[in-house]
Amino acid sequence: MKKYVVATLLLGAVLLVPSCSPVEKAPHRPPNIIFIMSDDHAYQAISAYDNRLIETPNIDRIARMGMLFTNASVTNSICAPSRATILTGKHSHINGKVDNHFPFDTTNVTFPQLLQEAGYQTAMFGKLHFGNSPKGFDQFKILPGQGAYYNPEFITKDEGTIQVRGYVTDIVTDMTLDWLETQRDTTKPYLLMYLHKAPHRSWQMAGRHLEEFTNRTFPEPETLFDGYEGRPAAAEAEMSILKHMSWSGDSKVYQEVMEALGLQEIGIDRRRLPFGTNQLDSAQLATFKKYYGPVNEAFRKAYPQMDQQELMKWRYQRYMQDYLGTIRAVDENVGRLLDYLEANDMMDNTIIVYTSDQGFYLGEHGWFDKRFVYDESFKTPLLVAWPGKVAAGTRSDEMVQNLDFAQTFLDAAGVEQPGDMQGESLLPILTGRMEDWDREAVYYHYYEYPAEHMVNRHYAIVTKDYKLIHYYFDLDYWELIDRKKDPKELHNVYDDPAYTEVRDRLHGELEAIREKYGDSDSLSRRYINTFLDDIEKDGIFGVNQEKLGEILKKRAGDN
Ligand code: SGN
Ligand code: CA
């Protein structure tokens, strides 16, 4: 009997041998891919990076299972262009989606289409923001445009436009879990894109988090009172927490309180009065009022004594409370998904990515929003788990980008990467083959100007040590940032003689990287003209009319 057991064990061992044998490789099993992306989620608000603002235990689980990237960035820090780069593996100037203004060109080839052709089952739930429906998906339910936090509508593949009651972060997760539970074709590997609207402006948290978050106080960033010396584009931008946030939609100040205090609504937000509540039903609104009522009362009393600095501090706290409150629900829901995968033994051979479409300013430089190549919006969170393939609890400070996702997934799936994609597969980093990775610099190009927040057009080369930035329309000047000596990015050393050599070297590298990726001044000029032609005809939302007039007049002078 004993002999029989031993023989059986030996036979079992022999049968298992092929996967360990040096000659015969195990057959490739294409992994499942779960791509989780939130909208405007700053890495400063993920505790795996930094726990001063909020604990995100569930998102952190992905880093504990796999790798945390500390130097991941985007090629163009704004929503739809980032998503287009992710799907196409190409820079904005090549895929054509340079800004949020025009719809995505659906003749682009995207990695989900290629995975679908290769036999993957594909699904997308949540925010896309393309102005059209995604190609290459067997199933999708997406928010129209920015989508709503409460009782949102969805454009669906099979049911037309539907409205679902509830809170968007919970609903997108319900849809995702429902798909995993009831629609999976278990004979195929799958690509699941689970895309949150939160924490996008204007921040509306779930009712269950109002009590905690409207009562919390958060530490201030060191650069809350940046004066923008030497950085004219920063000085011109309209994204100051003090000056450009709206009283109603952003800070949740009631109209009657604004009137009592003589406050004029700020910027473009007039359309959203009163206080961003148009999508809430009466019960949801009552919960909002229960918590924002006392906030308003306290503000009504305190405001007359506040100086500008105190007001900035108050507005920063209000901002953090609401922004971070929306992240609590994202974290809880990521936890629901991970729990589901664990409970159903679905972690094996599955890549799980958590990222954001870009970073965000949480008071650094006195700002909210993004767009600049400065770290808080240039960098983006990136956590990747792949149990069995990526070592648990690892970190990488390599300069990876959203440009690399498409090729990474194709590589992992064993699908050929089209020669015109511009990123690189991250598998060498993820699986510890660093001899196959040698990137030293990345390229950045932001376009959307003139537009809301008025961030000048700029392109840049970024290395681990420096950023060389050219602001070219309508300002025209250079910035050089020494990332090691000046991590808060407060000093433009472009004209400092101590940096002449660095500056000249970086100019050469910038020209080379622009050539490598096929970007040029003539292409930039073409994008400016298409944009200005369009807004000259139809106007543009959110732009100071006087400034717009000046830009268009200057342009007329150019021609
Ligand atoms: C909206 C926001 C802006 C934000 C853009 C782009 N204004 O227009 O603050 O920069 O979206 O964001 S709001 O008054 O409508 O909230 S993106 O993530 O879609 O690129
Ligand atoms: Ca975004």
Side-chain angles (χ1 to χ4, degrees):
M1 185 65 174
K2 248 192 198 159
K3 254 190 199 157
Y4 173 76
V5 173
V6 172
T8 313
L9 285 175
L10 277 176
L11 182 66
V14 170
L15 289 177
L16 287 173
V17 160
S19 61
C20 320
S21 142
V23 269
E24 264 182 85
K25 274 175 71 188
H28 180 75
R29 271 203 308 148
N32 302 311
I33 301 166
I34 301 182
F35 184 80
I36 313 172
M37 185 160 75
S38 44
D39 192 354
D40 294 356
H41 193 167
Y43 55 87
Q44 310 91 292
I46 293 182
S47 48
Y49 288 96
D50 185 340
N51 64 3
R52 283 173 297 182
L53 293 173
I54 188 169
E55 292 294 336
T56 51
N58 292 298
I59 296 169
D60 294 4
R61 275 160 74 183
I62 300 171
R64 273 204 306 281
M65 283 194 284
M67 189 173 273
L68 180 77
F69 286 87
T70 58
N71 243 324
S73 63
V74 295
T75 61
N76 180 1
S77 183
I78 185 152
C79 191
S82 168
R83 290 153 200 265
T85 291
I86 289 169
L87 291 179
T88 62
K90 291 175 183 166
H91 274 278
S92 307
H93 61 272
I94 302 291
N95 69 43
K97 186 74 179 129
V98 299
D99 53 40
N100 278 340
H101 193 73
F102 294 104
F104 176 68
D105 172 358
T106 55
T107 62
N108 275 295
V109 172
T110 66
F111 84 82
Q113 286 168 286
L114 298 174
L115 288 182
Q116 190 186 43
E117 276 166 26
Y120 269 70
Q121 189 188 10
T122 54
M124 177 187 280
F125 301 103
K127 179 170 170 184
L128 177 62
H129 197 191
F130 265 6
N132 42 44
S133 293
K135 280 190 171 167
F137 286 89
D138 301 321
Q139 180 60 276
F140 64 77
K141 294 182 181 174
I142 56 169
L143 296 159
Q146 297 284 9
Y149 274 109
Y150 278 87
N151 313 322
E153 290 191 333
F154 287 85
I155 299 163
T156 72
K157 183 140 198 245
D158 302 328
E159 305 158 62
T161 299
I162 56 170
Q163 187 179 19
V164 187
R165 305 216 68 79
Y167 186 65
V168 69
T169 308
D170 302 334
I171 295 168
V172 171
T173 311
D174 293 344
M175 289 171 167
T176 299
L177 293 178
D178 181 65
W179 183 82
L180 283 168
E181 182 72 21
T182 65
Q183 291 184 48
R184 276 277 299 118
D185 173 352
T186 49
T187 64
K188 292 177 168 183
Y190 64 87
L191 163 71
L192 171 59
M193 300 192 84
Y194 165 50
L195 310 172
H196 285 295
K197 167 186 171 58
H200 194 275
R201 193 186 179 205
S202 9
W203 310 281
Q204 293 185 341
M205 72 185 99
R208 62 185 180 275
H209 298 135
L210 280 162
E211 175 154 10
E212 177 187 349
F213 280 87
T214 55
N215 286 296
R216 279 182 67 173
T217 307
F218 298 94
E220 290 168 6
E222 271 174 51
T223 59
L224 188 61
F225 295 97
D226 187 357
Y228 314 121
E229 198 191 327
R231 290 155 293 147
E236 282 210 1
E238 296 180 0
M239 43 201 248
S240 152
I241 293 171
L242 177 67
K243 296 191 204 141
H244 304 109
M245 266 191 176
S246 70
W247 289 117
S248 58
D250 292 330
S251 295
K252 316 290 190 293
V253 176
Y254 293 175
Q255 198 167 3
E256 66 261 27
V257 175
M258 288 168 54
E259 276 161 22
L261 299 175
L263 298 172
Q264 288 299 311
E265 185 50 295
I266 292 179
I268 58 162
D269 213 54
R270 286 164 199 277
R271 72 199 157 93
R272 269 196 313 215
L273 289 171
F275 125 92
T277 51
N278 44 346
Q279 284 273 138
L280 277 71
D281 66 25
S282 56
Q284 292 159 341
L285 188 57
T287 311
F288 258 53
K289 290 206 161 151
K290 179 169 170 204
Y291 295 101
Y292 288 115
V295 167
N296 271 271
E297 265 324 294
F299 182 63
R300 188 202 294 262
K301 287 204 194 98
Y303 177 79
Q305 283 82 45
M306 282 179 179
D307 62 19
Q308 290 296 292
Q309 201 173 359
E310 285 159 340
L311 186 57
M312 172 61 137
K313 285 166 176 273
W314 182 85
R315 301 206 77 181
Y316 167 75
Q317 294 301 336
R318 278 278 49 258
Y319 167 32
M320 283 302 92
Q321 291 173 347
D322 291 355
Y323 175 90
L324 296 167
T326 71
I327 287 173
R328 172 71 87 232
V330 173
D331 189 65
E332 286 175 354
N333 278 286
V334 167
R336 284 176 69 201
L337 173 64
L338 296 178
D339 289 347
Y340 178 87
L341 297 172
E342 262 167 21
N344 291 282
D345 263 336
M346 290 169 74
M347 288 289 189
D348 177 48
N349 202 30
T350 300
I351 302 177
I352 305 171
V353 173
Y354 186 90
T355 190
S356 170
D357 60 346
Q358 18 53 218
F360 212 68
Y361 296 96
L362 304 185
E364 299 87 359
H365 307 287
W367 287 337
F368 64 105
D369 214 66
K370 53 248 177 182
R371 300 163 191 260
F372 277 101
V373 71
Y374 301 129
D375 272 4
E376 291 80 4
S377 57
F378 163 67
K379 295 202 330 188
T380 195
L382 178 60
L383 301 77
V384 182
W386 189 0
K389 283 277 183 11
V390 177
T394 45
R395 278 173 98 93
S396 169
D397 65 355
E398 293 305 321
M399 302 196 56
V400 304
Q401 291 202 289
N402 58 349
L403 182 68
D404 302 319
F405 289 140
Q407 279 152 280
T408 303
F409 299 141
L410 293 173
D411 192 10
V415 175
E416 198 181 326
Q417 302 162 36
D420 59 352
M421 283 191 173
Q422 299 185 303
E424 281 173 67
S425 165
L426 302 180
L427 289 203
I429 303 176
L430 289 166
T431 58
R433 288 185 283 111
M434 287 312 292
E435 62 281 10
D436 295 333
W437 179 266
D438 60 2
R439 181 184 286 161
E440 288 189 349
V442 295
Y443 183 59
Y444 182 86
H445 197 156
Y446 170 81
Y447 295 81
E448 196 175 282
Y449 179 96
E452 196 178 356
H453 303 301
M454 295 304 266
V455 175
N456 207 99
R457 289 174 190 239
H458 57 291
Y459 59 83
I461 183 168
V462 182
T463 68
K464 281 188 181 166
D465 294 336
Y466 299 102
K467 287 181 185 171
L468 178 68
I469 312 164
H470 187 203
Y471 293 91
Y472 67 90
F473 180 82
D474 60 14
L475 293 170
D476 185 4
Y477 77 102
W478 292 84
E479 281 179 18
L480 176 61
I481 307 284
D482 183 334
R483 301 185 78 191
K484 290 272 150 68
K485 286 204 182 129
D486 178 24
K488 303 270 179 247
E489 303 176 295
L490 298 171
H491 306 285
N492 175 12
V493 294
Y494 187 78
D495 291 321
D496 181 339
Y499 286 89
T500 310
E501 227 173 88
V502 171
R503 194 180 79 180
D504 292 349
R505 177 167 55 75
L506 283 168
H507 269 294
E509 288 174 14
L510 176 59
E511 278 322 302
I513 206 165
R514 274 164 67 81
E515 203 172 309
K516 168 178 159 187
Y517 288 127
D519 201 4
S520 64
D521 288 346
S522 62
L523 213 44
S524 299
R525 175 60 45 198
R526 224 192 294 156
Y527 281 120
I528 293 173
N529 285 335
T530 323
F531 187 72
L532 293 183
D533 284 347
D534 195 69
I535 64 175
E536 210 160 17
K537 195 157 45 77
D538 293 337
I540 184 170
F541 162 81
V543 176
N544 171 324
Q545 290 308 299
E546 207 177 308
K547 181 75 195 170
L548 181 61
E550 270 171 40
I551 292 167
L552 293 175
K553 209 158 110 202
K554 198 151 95 191
R555 178 197 194 198
D558 277 356
N559 289 338

